[in-house]
């Protein structure tokens, strides 16, 4: 009670500076600004610097002392509510009585684990992504976590990069709408002061996914126009959604580490996007500017970071140890520190921490049935059917031979970046198939994804004789994707492909299920499977989701959010590339067809690989269904448009012409045929999910504002250019198979 009184009295003192009612704002300066200014103006320089300091969890007594000293603006990696209340009390009871911002990596769930973000992107269901983030916030905030380092908005076009798992894939539009949905879900659907909300964090700002060679932390060389047109849009969408924080990325882009990059942290983020939250560094990334060779020492790194606009120092102690000296030496102005402190206090105010700093440790919402149901729905919608020769859904199969290293892998099924989800709550395919009443003969053969020991192969082959169907569940252990976990070879690990090949030879139908954190090079495995379902690490309820998909209770509807290469030699490969001056025709001569002593130019001179052709194994937006859909009756509102507020609307009919209820995801792609700079051969600009019972038809509208045709051109200005465009309505980015194509013009 005493502590609460203290914070309330402090808040009241400070609020009185705002004229009492915290919501009054009729004067020129809002109540929020008045409150924030009153707090910051009441602080000593040391206390201001304390707000810029984020520490990682340690002995609770040490954390209490640091909080009491006012040098803990934020803490991460502590999730014990009792400890957090103790730390919070120490901060609130002692000057300057400012609550600590408690943070954690809640990336795809807190206790209830959802599919990894790359999987959630495959659902093309923004409402479900928002719901998942909202549930994550409800569970995490019940333990006192009020700030998550999510969503990750890095465009990733290189599956060698382990962190492709954590984002929403290769496309700027899909990543933008998914990221905005996640921000909305975390941040209380626009009400950040709800005690069940969390401040979100748009990371890693910016360009981190373009690491050279797909090797994490490596340099990136993204020119300004590509930064503007490909890598920045999702972060801009997060700003438009009101994201509370950003995190600077580890990479140096074209020689400048993001953590010290004024152009992105100040000029673009605040100057152009009017962002008024705060920017936190990534783990020790201020200190890493010394490694980069961008700072002489930690003090110089602190100077370069704060002057670039980096507000909070994650665990480097660079600000805590150096800012006072830098100010006294005139290298950093106190105003700069004031602004950083103001940004941080503003977010604490919006979170309601000044009036509600503590958590009630009585509520327990973790693993609530509704949360598990949402996680299962997310896992169902995130699954992508890559092949099906008719073996799915199960007809009268009762006896299942279940094999493969991910069949009963409760830890690995959860995927990367899971600190609080417990594997004891994971429902694996083995458990779920048994619960569903199937007669399961479980012969894993391989006990983990990298396992090369096939000594039990004969047992599986023998077991196949009495099985109606073989279900192989393989993929990657969770440690093989995520931060610092990059791969030069994307084939299934260990002896999984050999196992599949042997299973195929039994002549029994083989259904493969892959649980991975990235696209893998699975061409041979597809050939050895009668059907394949790709479940990017599906989370806690992956097992029941899979059973619903195999049995046909749910029809797969996922679409690939990232291109699958034929081989790692094709990487980077993505659908939104430029046309080039010599686009592949699709009729190129491939390796095996090259005649002996072929003439120098006899094979044609276009952009392709002799041993891989031009296209990928599976394209962005691809995904099969158990049913079939027919698109018809297309109409476009006009074919001539002008002005960015104009809107293109395409209506059409979709019919479920097959035998199963299911959802389709019609996609709208556009190409700018000729512009002041070369433009992508196609860009996703709209999509929707349409659920149809078998035989049902629905009228659908896909629309896009003309403003979405804008791009940053030669003079680094965003322009909508006049000219001719082509639009497709398709069910994947393979527009050669589009249901409809239409040319239009911007005048
Ligand atoms: C890590 C990651 C970042 C994470 C942070 C805190 O190094 O790069 O995504 O949020 O540190 O754990």
């Amino acid at each position: 009670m005493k502590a609460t009184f203290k914070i309330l009295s402090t808040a009241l003192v400070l609020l009185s500076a705002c004229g009492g009612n915290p919501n009054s704002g009729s004067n020129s300066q809002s109540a929020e600004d008045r409150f924030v200014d009153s707090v910051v103006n009441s602080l000593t320089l040391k206390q201001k610097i304390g707000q810029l300091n984020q520490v990682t969890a340690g002995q609770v007594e040490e954390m209490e002392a640091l909080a009491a000293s006012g040098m803990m603006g934020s803490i991460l990696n502590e999730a014990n509510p009792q400890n957090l209340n103790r730390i919070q009390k120490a901060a609130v009871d002692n000057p300057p009585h400012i609550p600590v911002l408690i943070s954690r990596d809640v990336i795809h769930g807190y206790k209830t684990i959802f599919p990894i973000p790359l999987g959630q992107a495959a659902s093309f269901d923004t409402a479900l992504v928002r719901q998942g983030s909202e549930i994550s916030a409800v569970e995490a905030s019940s333990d006192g976590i009020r700030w998550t380092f999510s969503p990750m908005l890095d465009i990733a076009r290189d599956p060698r990069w382990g962190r492709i798992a954590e984002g929403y894939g290769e496309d700027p539009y899909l990543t933008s709408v998914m990221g905005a949905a996640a921000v909305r879900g975390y941040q209380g659907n626009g009400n950040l002061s709800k005690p069940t909300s969390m401040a979100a964090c748009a990371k890693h700002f910016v360009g981190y996914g373009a690491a050279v060679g797909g090797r994490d932390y490596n340099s990136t060389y993204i020119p300004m126009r590509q930064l503007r047109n490909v890598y920045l849009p999702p972060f801009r969408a997060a700003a438009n959604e009101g994201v509370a924080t950003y995190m600077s990325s580890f990479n140096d882009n074209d020689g400048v580490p993001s953590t010290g990059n004024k152009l992105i942290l100040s000029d673009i983020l605040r100057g152009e996007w009017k962002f008024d939250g705060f920017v936190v560094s990534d783990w020790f990334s201020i200190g890493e500017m010394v490694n980069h060779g961008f700072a002489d020492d930690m003090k110089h790194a602190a100077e370069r970071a704060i002057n670039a606009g980096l507000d909070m120092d994650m665990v480097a102690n660079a600000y805590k140890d150096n800012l006072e000296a830098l100010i006294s030496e005139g290298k950093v102005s106190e105003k700069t520190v004031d602004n950083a402190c103001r940004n941080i206090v503003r977010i604490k105010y919006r979170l309601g921490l000044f009036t509600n700093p503590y958590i009630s440790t009585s509520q327990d919402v973790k693993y609530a049935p509704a949360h598990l149901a949402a996680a299962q729905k997310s896992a169902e919608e995130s699954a992508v059917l890559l092949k099906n020769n008719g073996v799915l859904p199960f007809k009268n199969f009762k006896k299942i031979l279940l094999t493969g290293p991910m069949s009963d892998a409760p830890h690995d099924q959860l995927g990367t970046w899971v600190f609080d989800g417990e594997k004891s709550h994971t429902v694996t395919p083995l458990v779920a198939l048994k619960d569903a009443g199937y007669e399961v003969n479980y012969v894993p053969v391989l006990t983990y994804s990298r396992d090369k020991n096939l000594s039990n192969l004969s047992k599986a082959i023998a077991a196949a004789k009495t099985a109606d169907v073989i279900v192989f569940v393989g993929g990657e252990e969770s440690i093989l994707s995520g931060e610092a976990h990059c791969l030069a070879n994307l084939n299934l690990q260990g002896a999984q492909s050999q196992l599949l090949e042997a299973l195929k030879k039994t002549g029994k139908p083989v259904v493969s299920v892959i649980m991975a954190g990235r696209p893998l090079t699975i061409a041979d495995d597809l050939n050895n499977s009668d059907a394949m379902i790709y479940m990017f690490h599906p989370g806690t309820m992956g097992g029941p989701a899979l059973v619903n998909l195999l049995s046909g209770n749910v029809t797969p509807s996922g679409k690939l959010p990232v291109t699958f290469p034929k081989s790692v030699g094709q990487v980077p490969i993505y659908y939104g590339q430029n046309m080039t001056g010599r686009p592949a025709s699709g009729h190129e001569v491939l390796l095996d067809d090259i005649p002996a002593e072929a003439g120098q130019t006899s094979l044609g001179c276009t952009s392709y690989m002799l041993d891989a052709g031009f296209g990928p194994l599976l394209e962005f937006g691809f995904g099969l269904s158990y049913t079939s859909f027919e698109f018809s009756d297309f109409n476009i509102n006009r074919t001539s448009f002008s002005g960015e507020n104009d809107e293109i609307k395409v209506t059409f009919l979709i019919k479920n012409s097959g035998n199963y209820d299911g959802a389709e995801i019609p996609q709208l792609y556009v190409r700018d045929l000729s512009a002041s700079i070369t433009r992508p051969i196609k860009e996703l600009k709209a999509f929707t999910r349409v659920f149809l019972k078998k035989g049902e038809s629905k009228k659908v509208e896909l629309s896009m504002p003309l403003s979405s045709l804008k791009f940053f051109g030669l003079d680094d200005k965003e322009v909508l250019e006049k000219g001719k465009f082509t639009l497709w309505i398709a069910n994947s980015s393979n527009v050669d198979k589009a249901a409809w194509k239409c040319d239009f013009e911007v005048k």
Side-chain angles (χ1 to χ4, degrees):
M1 180 57 78
K2 178 175 173 297
T4 307
F5 174 74
K6 182 73 74 177
I7 185 71
L8 280 175
S9 60
T10 306
L12 289 173
V13 165
L14 298 171
L15 283 173
S16 66
C18 319
N21 173 358
N23 299 315
S24 73
S26 53
N27 307 346
S28 59
Q29 192 190 29
S30 73
E32 174 185 283
D33 288 346
R34 287 202 302 276
F35 179 85
V36 170
D37 286 348
S38 65
V39 170
V40 175
N41 297 338
S42 71
L43 302 179
T44 65
L45 173 59
K46 196 169 186 62
Q47 289 171 337
K48 292 172 194 171
I49 293 169
Q51 289 303 304
L52 281 48
N53 191 43
Q54 182 181 54
V55 301
T56 191
Q59 282 297 322
V60 64
E61 293 73 16
E62 290 169 17
M63 295 298 106
E64 282 180 302
L66 191 62
S69 74
M71 294 312 290
M72 182 192 286
S74 173
I75 185 170
L76 75 156
N77 293 335
E78 174 61 72
N80 175 308
Q82 286 73 28
N83 289 349
L84 288 171
N85 272 341
R86 283 176 57 181
I87 292 164
Q88 196 65 286
K89 185 173 182 306
V92 162
D93 277 0
N94 294 281
H97 309 292
I98 297 178
V100 173
L101 183 48
I102 295 157
S103 63
R104 193 153 181 81
D105 288 284
V106 182
I107 307 301
H108 52 106
Y110 181 62
K111 291 291 185 181
T112 302
I113 301 300
F114 286 74
I116 57 172
L118 189 60
Q120 292 187 47
S123 72
F124 279 66
D125 188 340
T126 51
L128 203 52
V129 168
R130 188 205 58 72
Q131 184 190 19
S133 301
E134 183 175 20
I135 288 169
S136 304
V138 165
E139 291 194 354
S141 60
S142 75
D143 274 353
I145 314 293
R146 296 297 312 276
W147 177 26
T148 180
F149 302 121
S150 177
M152 193 246 219
L153 303 176
D154 299 301
I155 296 296
R157 296 173 162 178
D158 188 334
R160 295 172 296 179
W161 188 53
R163 304 201 76 167
I164 193 170
E166 301 171 50
Y168 298 110
E170 69 184 54
D171 180 67
Y173 176 77
L174 181 63
T175 300
S176 296
V177 296
M178 289 294 170
V183 168
R184 203 155 48 248
Y186 286 132
Q187 297 193 167
N189 298 307
N191 179 4
L192 196 52
S193 65
K194 273 167 66 174
T196 56
S197 74
M198 292 196 291
C201 182
K203 75 181 188 183
H204 306 79
F205 193 54
V206 66
Y208 183 35
V212 170
R215 197 167 68 249
D216 202 5
Y217 314 120
N218 205 354
S219 300
T220 59
Y221 295 92
I222 308 168
M224 196 58 202
R225 273 195 290 278
Q226 195 181 38
L227 203 67
R228 290 275 198 188
N229 293 326
V230 175
Y231 293 92
L232 283 171
F235 290 93
R236 186 181 188 183
N240 294 340
E241 186 60 41
V243 71
T245 69
Y246 282 75
M247 180 186 291
S248 65
S249 57
F250 285 123
N251 57 299
D252 58 319
N253 185 49
D254 200 13
V256 182
S258 300
T259 303
N261 188 333
K262 181 178 175 300
L263 171 67
I264 60 172
L265 299 182
S266 294
D267 303 349
I268 292 177
L269 191 54
R270 296 191 190 278
E272 294 181 23
W273 299 349
K274 308 306 177 199
F275 170 65
D276 68 356
F278 72 85
V279 181
V280 65
S281 76
D282 201 336
W283 184 278
F284 203 83
S285 66
I286 293 178
E288 290 182 5
M289 291 202 288
V290 179
N291 298 345
H292 276 290
F294 190 73
D296 306 335
D297 52 30
M298 189 66 94
K299 183 176 178 184
H300 187 209
E303 176 190 347
R304 299 205 76 170
I306 192 83
N307 285 334
L310 195 288
D311 299 304
M312 183 180 280
D313 170 8
M314 184 185 285
V315 307
N317 285 328
Y319 287 177
K320 172 172 166 289
D321 296 343
N322 297 288
L323 280 183
E324 282 181 280
L326 287 165
I327 288 169
S328 63
E329 293 162 17
K331 293 177 179 170
V332 173
S333 78
E334 184 159 356
K335 187 174 182 305
T336 301
V337 172
D338 288 357
N339 288 338
C341 182
R342 192 169 283 110
N343 295 332
I344 293 162
V345 169
R346 183 176 301 117
I347 296 305
K348 292 186 177 185
Y349 170 88
R350 289 180 183 168
L351 280 162
L353 289 180
F354 284 95
T355 50
N356 183 22
Y358 300 110
I359 27 162
S360 150
T361 52
S362 60
Q363 53 175 322
D364 194 357
V365 293
K366 303 175 187 78
Y367 300 114
H371 297 176
L372 294 171
Q376 179 172 329
K377 185 167 191 284
S378 186
E380 288 164 356
E381 292 194 11
S382 301
V384 186
L385 182 62
L386 300 184
K387 177 181 180 181
N388 183 22
N389 68 2
V391 68
L392 290 180
F394 285 172
K395 308 295 183 290
N396 307 313
F397 296 145
K398 286 308 290 172
K399 295 179 181 177
I400 295 174
L401 164 59
L402 178 64
T403 181
M406 297 293 283
S407 304
D408 189 37
H411 168 83
D412 292 307
Q413 179 175 313
L414 297 178
T416 187
W417 281 104
V418 172
F419 286 127
D420 305 288
E422 292 136 312
K423 70 175 189 176
S424 57
H425 286 262
T426 304
V427 186
T428 65
L430 172 63
V431 171
L433 284 166
K434 285 182 174 175
D435 287 353
Y438 289 100
E439 194 179 316
V440 181
N441 186 353
Y442 176 46
V443 184
V445 182
L446 303 172
T447 54
Y448 61 103
S449 68
R450 290 164 291 143
D451 194 350
K452 296 184 174 69
N453 179 356
L454 287 171
S455 58
N456 286 324
L457 178 59
S458 57
K459 285 183 186 168
I461 301 307
K465 291 186 173 56
T466 55
D468 298 328
V469 63
I470 300 170
V471 175
F472 165 86
V473 187
E476 291 179 311
E477 292 148 88
S478 56
I479 192 66
L480 301 180
S481 62
E483 181 169 357
H485 304 152
C486 303
L487 291 169
N489 180 330
L490 298 178
N491 294 333
L492 281 178
Q493 295 284 339
Q496 294 183 67
S497 295
Q498 294 91 309
L499 171 55
L500 254 183
E501 191 177 1
L503 294 169
K504 180 66 184 165
K505 287 176 181 164
T506 66
K508 288 290 174 78
V510 177
V511 175
S512 299
V513 180
I514 306 297
M515 295 185 179
R518 55 162 48 89
L520 294 171
T521 43
I522 49 168
D524 294 343
D525 309 304
L526 270 170
N527 290 336
N528 285 325
S529 305
D530 295 290
M532 183 180 283
I533 294 178
Y534 214 88
M535 300 182 93
F536 301 94
H537 288 127
T540 305
M541 300 302 284
L546 177 61
V547 169
N548 270 346
L549 293 162
L550 294 173
S551 64
N553 292 340
V554 172
T555 296
S557 60
K559 302 284 185 179
L560 296 179
V562 63
T563 300
F564 275 52
K566 290 173 183 142
S567 72
V568 73
Q570 284 192 304
V571 170
I573 183 169
Y574 49 93
Y575 88 86
Q577 67 160 67
N578 289 355
M579 183 61 88
T580 77
R582 296 195 176 185
S585 65
H587 307 297
E588 282 74 16
V589 178
L590 298 183
L591 203 63
D592 296 343
D593 303 326
I594 298 174
E597 299 182 6
Q600 173 57 33
T601 60
S602 64
L603 305 183
C605 300
T606 56
S607 177
Y608 82 110
M609 302 284 200
L610 292 175
D611 56 353
F614 164 71
L617 177 69
L618 298 164
E619 73 270 10
F620 172 91
F622 174 83
L624 300 175
S625 175
Y626 294 153
T627 189
S628 54
F629 299 96
E630 290 167 4
F631 293 30
S632 62
D633 294 359
F634 287 92
N635 282 291
I636 187 168
N637 52 340
R638 292 193 301 285
T639 55
S640 176
F641 300 88
S642 61
E644 65 177 76
N645 295 322
D646 213 338
E647 192 173 33
I648 297 175
K649 292 182 181 177
V650 179
T651 58
F652 52 97
L653 212 55
I654 294 190
K655 179 179 181 182
N656 180 342
S657 52
N659 300 316
Y660 297 92
D661 299 350
E664 175 59 300
I665 299 169
Q667 302 148 49
L668 185 156
Y669 293 89
V670 168
R671 184 190 171 195
D672 187 343
L673 298 175
S674 174
S676 55
I677 59 172
T678 54
R679 304 287 295 125
I681 55 177
K682 54 205 161 189
E683 294 177 282
L684 180 69
K685 294 294 183 185
F687 63 83
T688 186
R689 278 181 67 87
V690 185
F691 181 82
L692 295 166
K693 290 189 173 303
K694 63 182 178 183
E696 187 183 8
S697 295
K698 276 181 188 169
K699 184 174 179 182
V700 178
E701 177 179 291
L702 283 180
S703 63
M704 53 171 277
L706 232 58
S707 57
S708 69
L709 296 176
K710 294 168 77 172
F711 62 90
F712 282 82
L714 289 171
D715 54 2
D716 196 30
K717 293 276 184 296
E718 196 174 21
V719 292
L720 170 62
E721 292 186 347
K722 296 179 172 47
K724 298 186 186 311
F725 296 77
T726 296
L727 172 152
W728 296 270
I729 301 293
N731 66 358
S732 91
S733 62
N734 183 351
V735 294
D736 294 341
K737 296 180 180 172
W740 191 66
K741 173 181 178 180
C742 173
D743 294 334
F744 67 91
E745 195 170 4
V746 174
K747 291 184 171 171

